[in-house]
Amino acid sequence: MATPVFLPPTSYDYVTVQKVQGSETTEASDVLAAEEPLEIRVGYGPESRRQHRTLSVTMRTPGHDFELTAGFLLTEGIIRGREDLQGILYCPDVAKEEERENVVRAELSPASVPDLPRLERHFYTSSSCGVCGKTSIEAVHAASCPVLPTQGPYVATAVIHQLPAQQRAAQALFEQTGGLHAAALFSPAGELLLLREDVGRHNALDKVIGAVLLAGQLPLHGAVLLVSGRASFELVQKAAVAGIPVLAAVGAPSSLAVSAAHNFGMTLCGFVRQNRFNVYSHSWRITGEAEPTS
């Protein structure tokens, strides 16, 4: 008997729908992926005179909010590592009850000196596109991106072929709603290490990176990342900040994503589905047979 998967009740909603099949209409219950705004605030400065500011509002699927916050702070260059983060909490001082678990505050370490002009930019991040264009490009230069390994890891083509099915099998919320993206970390041998889901591709990846950051396990030099949907510049940038050398996507990459992957030394695969895929950069990591990663 399969082990039941626990889903946070705030991650989905039940609605009544009219189902039409041919000429017949029936009433039924449907499950939708929840989408709610998350306001990210930061606290910084000496203990005697802390300052607090709103940094971002992003539309996300509730759940793993602290991981999402930590990953966002890292990949947008606000923090450089776990040592810059003192803690994350839900803000108790909200105006409305429904905001109580939709506003988080990340307290930066007193010794951390954030980029104040960056903090003064009040980002609005949609669930579909992430923080785009100039902001993300600046974040790449601001963050200390780990140098990706120049020897391995090597990943067999057969492993790449298997990743989408493994990811889908582990997507509990997608099976319930059919409306979520996923980001999943695998070992070079194809072992699933971590998966997160969200209505936004960039949010799902920030949750993965945040979980690893909070666990003190960055950089991810031995990991393979699979994302649902297309591979955008933002996803390549975030993966680079986390030190991920191999990024695979079910959909197509953008031209800027391919260019960035070349520059970062990252292996980028696209159209990973139906037993096929394309390799757009640094194809030397993809092998016909598995090779040792040492």
Side-chain angles (χ1 to χ4, degrees), residues 132-154:
C132 303
K134 184 172 181 287
T135 297
S136 285
I137 294 171
E138 289 175 352
V140 173
H141 297 297
S144 297
C145 293
V147 176
L148 299 183
T150 56
Q151 294 185 345
Y154 300 100

Side-chain angles (χ1 to χ4, degrees), residues 58-77:
T58 183
M59 300 301 295
R60 98 301 188 192
T61 299
H64 305 291
D65 291 333
F66 293 175
E67 296 174 358
L68 170 58
T69 300
F72 177 84
L73 293 176
L74 180 76
T75 59
E76 291 304 319

Side-chain angles (χ1 to χ4, degrees), residues 36-232:
E36 295 184 11
L38 178 70
E39 180 180 338
I40 299 175
R41 301 175 182 174
V42 290
Y44 60 94
E47 293 289 1
S48 59
R49 54 179 194 278
R50 299 287 284 177
Q51 298 186 55
H52 298 95
R53 299 193 186 187
T54 294
L55 177 63
S56 171
V57 177
T58 183
M59 300 301 295
R60 98 301 188 192
T61 299
H64 305 291
D65 291 333
F66 293 175
E67 296 174 358
L68 170 58
T69 300
F72 177 84
L73 293 176
L74 180 76
T75 59
E76 291 304 319
I78 305 302
I79 63 174
R80 295 179 179 272
R82 180 67 180 85
E83 65 279 3
D84 290 335
L85 193 58
Q86 193 171 50
I88 305 174
L89 71 157
Y90 286 110
C91 291
D93 54 338
V94 291
K96 301 176 182 178
E97 182 59 32
E98 59 265 27
E99 296 176 350
R100 187 165 298 280
E101 293 191 356
N102 284 328
V103 183
V104 298
R105 186 170 74 237
E107 293 290 351
L108 306 187
S109 300
S112 175
V113 182
D115 182 344
L116 292 180
R118 184 178 301 278
L119 289 180
E120 288 169 358
R121 234 185 246 121
H122 286 198
F123 300 129
Y124 173 79
T125 310
S126 77
S127 61
S128 59
C129 73
V131 177
C132 303
K134 184 172 181 287
T135 297
S136 285
I137 294 171
E138 289 175 352
V140 173
H141 297 297
S144 297
C145 293
V147 176
L148 299 183
T150 56
Q151 294 185 345
Y154 300 100
V155 187
T157 55
V159 169
I160 299 293
H161 287 316
Q162 295 167 4
L163 298 185
Q166 289 181 258
Q167 183 189 67
R168 180 62 59 83
Q171 278 192 259
L173 274 175
F174 184 89
E175 289 303 314
Q176 290 281 337
T177 67
L180 287 179
H181 286 287
L185 286 179
F186 295 86
S187 73
E191 177 189 3
L192 178 62
L193 305 175
L194 179 66
L195 181 144
R196 292 290 184 263
E197 296 178 273
D198 199 275
V199 288
R201 286 184 298 270
H202 65 288
N203 284 344
L205 181 51
D206 275 343
K207 288 179 178 180
V208 164
I209 294 174
V212 178
L213 169 68
L214 294 175
Q217 296 173 346
L218 289 179
L220 290 165
H221 282 166
V224 177
L225 172 67
L226 177 68
V227 296
S228 60
R230 63 186 177 86
S232 64

